[in-house]
Amino acid sequence: MIRSIAPGAEIADISHLIEPYGVRQGAVVLYESVPYFPQSVHLAVVDPGVGSARRAVILSVAGGSSLLVGPDNGLLMPSAARLGGVEGAWEIANPELGLPVRSSTFHGRDVFSPAAAHLFLGVAPAEFGPGVDPGSLVRLEETTVADLGSHLSGEVVHVDRFGNLQTNLRSVHLDRLNAVPGDRLQVRLGERVVEATVRRSYSFGEVGELQLVVDSHGCVAICVNEGSAALLTGARPGSTVLLGAGGFAEG
């Protein structure tokens, strides 16, 4: 669809592996990707509210380095903040800049992709519709890490295609637990308690070993060397994680 409007567009496909309705997961993947692109039009669609009153929006960021296109459901906001903050926002409402027939169920095709293509061609965001007060844009509730004394409570924010469980815990949280490579920590995911070994990278442990690794984005990931932590534990985005040296039991 994009190339039918803008044949010269260079398209980089980041991911089609976001869980259905996984707005937060999509926001995490986009947030982790945008710093590595030059000036770009970033199109992201995880849209459980398609066809409803939710707005379709274009965001510009401070300095005009990039534009973001997608639903106004919080998906774009972490990335906009990472790129310098929202400088301007517009609703996508001009029917002349979308497909002639707009369905109520497929705005990725009918609304967002045409908008991204026209922006690539140089159409100004203001041509798409009225300005939007940046303060009215939907924001996701921030995930937090709770310090519970003997252990920390966090959340799985993303599961990649290898089954690695990326959490909102960071390397400083391993420091808080005085955990160094080789140490074993208890991990509680839902009602299941397992042990995982802190490793510098996946290959430092035995094949099949459950590990805690600080990944390329600085997040603590629960993973299995040459295996899937998601399959082993049954965890998914949104699952609560308890991490510590002990003090909680299964069940």
Side-chain angles (χ1 to χ4, degrees):
M1 175 51 61
I2 292 174
R3 284 209 176 105
S4 68
I5 296 171
E10 181 179 350
I11 300 172
D13 186 357
I14 296 173
S15 179
H16 284 283
L17 299 177
I18 306 303
E19 284 199 354
Y21 322 115
V23 175
R24 184 180 299 281
Q25 184 187 13
V28 168
V29 172
L30 186 64
Y31 173 88
E32 293 175 345
S33 302
V34 291
Y36 302 101
F37 284 86
Q39 184 173 3
S40 304
V41 178
H42 298 286
L43 168 63
V45 184
V46 182
D47 195 15
V50 62
S52 70
R54 73 92 185 91
R55 294 177 295 196
V57 294
I58 298 166
L59 308 182
S60 68
V61 296
S65 60
S66 291
L67 297 166
L68 297 104
V69 180
D72 179 23
N73 60 7
L75 176 66
L76 306 178
M77 296 303 286
S79 295
R82 187 164 196 180
L83 292 173
V86 177
E87 188 173 67
W90 298 266
E91 186 170 3
I92 303 172
N94 185 348
E96 295 182 3
L97 295 174
L99 292 194
V101 178
R102 174 172 167 170
S103 74
S104 60
T105 59
F106 199 175
H107 287 185
R109 178 195 66 193
D110 301 343
V111 178
F112 298 119
S113 292
H118 286 297
L119 289 167
F120 172 83
L121 292 175
V123 177
E127 296 296 316
F128 288 83
V132 172
D133 176 7
S136 73
L137 295 167
V138 174
R139 288 163 170 79
L140 297 173
E141 183 179 349
E142 292 188 15
T143 63
T144 59
V145 174
D147 190 331
L148 303 176
S150 63
H151 54 281
L152 303 172
S153 175
E155 180 180 324
V156 175
V157 295
H158 176 51
V159 179
D160 67 17
R161 71 186 185 91
F162 297 102
N164 298 321
L165 307 175
Q166 186 184 69
T167 76
N168 64 338
L169 295 155
R170 313 287 290 189
S171 59
V172 294
H173 296 114
L174 292 181
D175 295 340
R176 157 67 182 79
L177 295 171
N178 299 314
V180 297
D183 286 351
R184 293 181 64 79
L185 297 177
Q186 279 198 338
V187 181
R188 181 167 185 161
L189 291 156
E191 296 302 312
R192 183 166 188 188
V193 176
V194 293
E195 282 197 339
T197 304
V198 179
R199 297 294 186 190
R200 294 190 187 280
S201 187
Y202 312 109
S203 62
F204 279 80
E206 298 294 328
V207 171
E209 179 187 69
L210 189 67
Q211 304 171 333
L212 296 166
V213 173
V214 178
D215 68 14
S216 61
H217 301 290
C219 298
V220 175
I222 304 164
C223 50
V224 173
N225 187 15
E226 297 187 27
S228 169
L231 288 177
L232 179 66
T233 66
R236 55 184 300 275
S239 293
T240 298
V241 178
L242 295 180
L243 181 64
F248 41 88
E250 190 167 359

